[in-house]
Amino acid sequence: METVYNIEEARNGIEQSAIEPSDHEGHIKLANVYATCATFWDENKIQEFSNPASWRVVKRNTDDDAEEVVFTVRGVIHTKELPPINKKPRIPAHKYRFIRQGVSLTGLGTPTFTRAFQAIQIIHSHFDRHFQEGALEKQSESDELCIWNRYLTPAHEAKGMQTIPFLPGVDPNGTLRNMAQEDTNYPYVHTEDNQVHYFSARRDNEGDYMYERTEPQMFRVGDLVEAQLSFVVIPIKGGHRKMLTVLRSLALIKGNFIKMETKHEVEDVPTPKATTIKRKAGYCNVVEEKRMRLDDMFLEPQSPDC
């Protein structure tokens, strides 16, 4: 007998997300944007902000506060760079801004994951029309979805944003906290925009998902997860722009896709490959003693949506 990855069960888990109701009223399934493109942009828009300089997808409303759109996508972890951070990296302080946490997800060829990629192209195209032609970098042609978030933001890019502590399991020894202040020429802060929430999911007696907060060390390559993400365009060198896929939360849906097979039955299975802006990251059905409140992020709008 030999253990192999149960690729069909993982695929079914991804496809199941297409028919299950959303676990947060304000979140949008990324795969659904492809089919509802017209109505999506009737309800949402792209808006420019400063501190830090960026363009983001926000909801159209009459409130003074801008609410960033949070998307959800389900896939299998192919690669990961997740906390905890226990050792200081050997890089100069001015490069601390590039230290990040995140995952790359594969959809194992499922239609739902393919539609999510098509939706990303739609969102990228909509961003593209806010800049001079050719200014926005093209999207990667990879069939994996890379979702990241940096731990630290340069202090001069975060004016007016509130500094918050790292969540449990991210910086247990204070390594990142010390790095943020070690060089007065390059001070950093950790803000709500840098924060990634981690959950594990289980079904209750009625079959609905319940979520418990967890630490990032529990995730493994091959796990079926649901990621919450947002799309942010930032300015880069040479007057160009780049669209980032920013991780907001990661939930473990199922972590065991191992099955036993006799050796002759084993097939080659691919490796699972001043205004305020707010967002609603996380889930409604969170099991915890006290709900954590997300602090608002301070951003100044530059111009209205075109």
Side-chain angles (χ1 to χ4, degrees), residues 12-13 25 42 52 57 60 71 73 76 91-92 94 101 156 162 176 185 222 243 245 272 275 277 280:
N12 291 337
E25 183 179 349
D42 287 341
V57 182
R60 295 183 185 271
F71 301 85
V73 62
V76 170
I91 57 175
H94 69 274
Q101 57 185 317
H156 72 273
Q162 183 176 353
L176 290 169
N185 294 321
M243 189 178 85
T245 309
T275 227
I277 185 170
K280 296 175 180 177

Side-chain angles (χ1 to χ4, degrees), residues 205-216:
N205 294 334
E206 297 179 354
D208 297 324
Y209 277 116
M210 303 295 293
Y211 296 87
E212 297 176 343
R213 293 189 180 272
T214 189
E215 295 189 0

Side-chain angles (χ1 to χ4, degrees), residues 155-168:
H156 72 273
E157 295 181 5
K159 294 178 181 178
M161 296 171 64
Q162 183 176 353
T163 300
I164 61 175
F166 291 95
L167 290 175

Side-chain angles (χ1 to χ4, degrees), residues 99-165:
I99 306 172
R100 61 188 190 176
Q101 57 185 317
V103 294
S104 67
L105 302 181
T106 175
L108 302 175
T110 56
T112 297
F113 200 79
T114 299
R115 289 196 299 272
F117 259 97
Q118 292 168 330
I120 292 174
Q121 291 300 324
I122 290 171
I123 294 170
H124 182 274
S125 297
H126 208 78
F127 270 119
D128 184 63
R129 291 183 176 274
H130 284 67
F131 312 108
Q132 183 177 344
E133 187 173 0
L136 182 62
E137 283 192 352
K138 293 182 178 180
Q139 284 292 97
S140 169
E141 296 183 359
S142 171
D143 58 357
E144 295 178 8
L145 176 56
C146 298
I147 319 171
W148 311 94
N149 201 334
R150 57 185 179 176
Y151 291 104
L152 301 170
T153 298
H156 72 273
E157 295 181 5
K159 294 178 181 178
M161 296 171 64
Q162 183 176 353
T163 300
I164 61 175

Side-chain angles (χ1 to χ4, degrees), residues 15-237:
E15 285 300 283
Q16 187 68 21
S17 66
I19 60 176
E20 291 175 343
S22 175
D23 290 302
H24 195 299
E25 183 179 349
H27 295 168
I28 297 174
K29 293 182 180 181
L30 187 56
N32 290 351
V33 174
Y34 177 71
T36 61
C37 178
T39 56
F40 175 81
W41 293 113
D42 287 341
E43 299 170 356
N44 304 284
K45 65 179 181 177
I46 291 173
Q47 188 168 321
E48 183 179 359
F49 297 92
S50 66
N51 294 333
S54 59
W55 292 259
R56 301 172 185 245
V57 182
V58 300
K59 296 184 177 182
R60 295 183 185 271
N61 53 45
T62 58
D63 298 334
D64 292 334
D65 294 348
E67 183 177 339
E68 186 173 35
V69 177
V70 176
F71 301 85
T72 63
V73 62
R74 191 175 294 188
V76 170
I77 296 179
H78 183 224
T79 63
K80 64 183 179 73
E81 291 182 28
L82 296 176
I85 297 296
N86 293 315
K87 186 178 180 180
K88 178 183 172 182
R90 295 183 178 180
I91 57 175
H94 69 274
K95 291 188 176 181
Y96 288 170
R97 64 184 300 161
F98 301 116
I99 306 172
R100 61 188 190 176
Q101 57 185 317
V103 294
S104 67
L105 302 181
T106 175
L108 302 175
T110 56
T112 297
F113 200 79
T114 299
R115 289 196 299 272
F117 259 97
Q118 292 168 330
I120 292 174
Q121 291 300 324
I122 290 171
I123 294 170
H124 182 274
S125 297
H126 208 78
F127 270 119
D128 184 63
R129 291 183 176 274
H130 284 67
F131 312 108
Q132 183 177 344
E133 187 173 0
L136 182 62
E137 283 192 352
K138 293 182 178 180
Q139 284 292 97
S140 169
E141 296 183 359
S142 171
D143 58 357
E144 295 178 8
L145 176 56
C146 298
I147 319 171
W148 311 94
N149 201 334
R150 57 185 179 176
Y151 291 104
L152 301 170
T153 298
H156 72 273
E157 295 181 5
K159 294 178 181 178
M161 296 171 64
Q162 183 176 353
T163 300
I164 61 175
F166 291 95
L167 290 175
V170 175
D171 187 32
N173 301 322
T175 304
L176 290 169
R177 184 180 66 249
N178 294 335
M179 288 168 57
Q181 303 299 326
E182 73 173 36
D183 189 336
T184 55
N185 294 321
Y186 296 97
Y188 293 88
V189 293
H190 178 73
T191 72
E192 190 265 339
D193 203 30
N194 303 119
Q195 194 172 66
V196 178
H197 299 266
Y198 293 94
F199 301 90
S200 61
R202 61 176 175 81
R203 291 193 183 272
D204 62 16
N205 294 334
E206 297 179 354
D208 297 324
Y209 277 116
M210 303 295 293
Y211 296 87
E212 297 176 343
R213 293 189 180 272
T214 189
E215 295 189 0
Q217 64 185 8
M218 79 174 298
F219 292 86
R220 299 290 185 270
V221 169
D223 286 349
L224 176 65
V225 297
E226 183 171 274
Q228 295 179 353
L229 56 107
S230 56
F231 295 97
V232 180
V233 169
I234 61 171
I236 57 176
K237 291 182 179 179

